[in-house]
Amino acid sequence: MTSYILRRLVMTIPILIGISILSFAIMYLAPGDPASMLIDPNIKPEDLERMSERLGLNDPPHVQYMKWVGHILQGDLGTSFIQRRPVNDIIMERLPNTLVLMIASSLFAIVLAIPFGVLSATRQYSVLDYSVTTFSFIGVATPNFWLGLMLLMIFSVQLGWFPSGGIHTINVPFSIWDRIHHLILPMIVLGSYDMASLMRYTRSSMLDVIRQDYIRTARAKGFRERTVIYKHGLRNAMIPVITIFGLMLPTFIGGSVVVETLFSWPGIGQLFINSVVQRDYPVIMALTMFSAVLVVIGNLLADIFYAIVDPRIEY
């Protein structure tokens, strides 16, 4: 297992290099000049040229890329063009808010999806099964931004049950309930897609397992149905579902960009959108590579858990 993990970590190096080159090329080819976003548009051309020279934007693309790689290897993500602060500090300020949202959404998706997926499989063709199946199809087909807008319109604007944005009420002392109150709607929107897809995978996997011979043997031996399902069936049914956990991380990262913007949640998703609009290249590159690393780690963790749950798998 240790050698496999080391091999996977080594394999991530060319992947991350490829992602960095592709991201830098796309950013460089995008229209617009970052220097023009920083100063008065009526400024003299020579001052604009001086600003571009100071930011290193007049260097050839490969020189700019190699300078960026050199700084990254030293643990320096650069300095924001807009905020004039180290990118490391800007990301660390925003990261806790995004992690809170991602963890809450993951728990929301897992806690609801697995029990209802199991119940749907064990009570196939019942009213509960049809309800869960219909709900999961709707959840998979509903875009995050549309669901967020509907929840905001109903529960924030019309009913006034939840705040429409932010992470806490302004000018109010710190309160856990206040934070949870602001978290509920973004958590539901971000976790809805993964909850629906996870529910479908759990139901499908559980149906395959409960039709196996060893499940019939366990029932023939007189074990209680609860023991057969949850002790012998559920563990094996979770093997393919675990791979989905690793794939949930990219959807959370991508979804956080939409959800944080929609709910004014001050995380790295909102920071990414603002950086793209302002052409803040150092922040864009840092967040792109940060997301890539998280996705690689998520896939690696899925493979490790897969081997732990299924002893037949050897690396």
Side-chain angles (χ1 to χ4, degrees):
M1 176 63 80
T2 304
S3 62
Y4 170 75
I5 295 174
L6 291 176
R7 283 202 310 273
R8 285 291 303 269
L9 291 176
V10 172
M11 289 170 59
T12 60
I13 295 175
I15 294 174
L16 294 177
I17 292 175
I19 292 173
S20 68
I21 294 175
L22 187 62
S23 303
F24 190 87
I26 293 173
M27 190 176 62
Y28 185 81
L29 294 174
D33 181 9
S36 63
M37 305 290 293
L38 305 174
I39 53 182
D40 187 349
N42 298 320
I43 199 170
K44 296 178 181 178
E46 51 268 29
D47 293 332
L48 184 63
E49 182 66 18
R50 205 162 30 246
M51 174 68 77
S52 298
E53 184 67 27
R54 188 176 67 80
L55 296 176
L57 298 173
N58 290 336
D59 295 334
H62 66 280
V63 174
Q64 294 184 41
Y65 176 75
M66 293 309 298
K67 285 183 178 178
W68 177 80
V69 171
H71 289 137
I72 287 291
L73 294 177
Q74 299 174 29
D76 180 12
L77 299 179
T79 302
S80 167
F81 290 168
I82 305 299
Q83 301 188 36
R84 313 290 176 86
R85 297 169 54 207
V87 177
N88 303 46
D89 296 344
I90 297 173
I91 292 179
M92 292 309 296
E93 285 178 1
R94 300 269 188 147
L95 184 59
N97 296 330
T98 296
L99 289 179
V100 168
L101 181 58
M102 290 175 62
I103 292 172
S105 302
S106 302
L107 293 176
F108 169 73
I110 293 171
V111 168
L112 291 181
I114 292 179
F116 278 104
V118 172
L119 289 174
S120 178
T122 55
R123 302 180 185 180
Q124 191 178 17
Y125 304 132
S126 66
V127 175
L128 175 65
D129 182 31
Y130 286 126
S131 301
V132 170
T133 301
T134 304
F135 178 81
S136 60
F137 279 141
I138 294 174
V140 171
T142 304
N144 278 350
F145 72 91
W146 185 86
L147 178 62
L149 288 174
M150 291 299 103
L151 293 182
L152 277 175
M153 186 178 68
I154 296 172
F155 295 104
S156 296
V157 177
Q158 296 185 355
L159 299 177
W161 290 356
F162 296 98
S164 59
I167 60 173
H168 61 84
T169 305
I170 299 175
N171 296 328
V172 170
F174 177 82
S175 165
I176 292 293
W177 167 244
D178 183 57
R179 298 294 178 117
I180 294 175
H181 197 207
H182 283 76
L183 178 64
I184 290 176
L185 289 187
M187 176 192 71
I188 293 174
V189 175
L190 186 58
S192 60
Y193 174 85
D194 287 297
M195 179 185 65
S197 59
L198 197 59
M199 203 177 286
R200 292 293 304 157
Y201 279 109
T202 303
R203 178 185 182 275
S204 176
S205 180
M206 199 69 195
L207 282 175
D208 288 338
V209 167
I210 60 180
R211 293 167 181 162
Q212 298 295 318
D213 290 339
Y214 68 90
I215 294 294
R216 278 195 289 271
T217 303
R219 285 175 173 149
K221 287 184 176 180
F223 290 125
R224 293 189 303 172
E225 185 65 15
R226 180 183 295 272
T227 303
V228 173
I229 296 297
Y230 292 101
K231 184 177 180 180
H232 299 282
L234 184 58
R235 178 172 178 174
N236 293 300
M238 286 295 99
I239 293 174
V241 175
I242 285 176
T243 58
I244 306 301
F245 292 156
L247 300 178
M248 286 171 60
L249 195 54
T251 62
F252 278 133
I253 295 172
S256 67
V257 174
V258 176
V259 174
E260 290 182 3
T261 303
L262 194 60
F263 288 93
S264 302
W265 189 269
I268 59 174
Q270 188 190 53
L271 176 63
F272 184 79
I273 289 292
N274 294 338
S275 303
V276 171
V277 172
Q278 298 168 337
R279 294 180 176 79
D280 197 348
Y281 288 172
V283 179
I284 295 173
M285 284 299 296
L287 291 178
T288 302
M289 295 310 300
F290 179 76
S291 303
V293 169
L294 284 183
V295 171
V296 169
I297 292 174
N299 290 332
L300 178 61
L301 290 176
D303 288 343
I304 293 173
F305 287 135
Y306 199 86
I308 292 174
V309 174
D310 190 352
R312 296 171 297 179
I313 296 177
E314 295 181 357
Y315 294 109

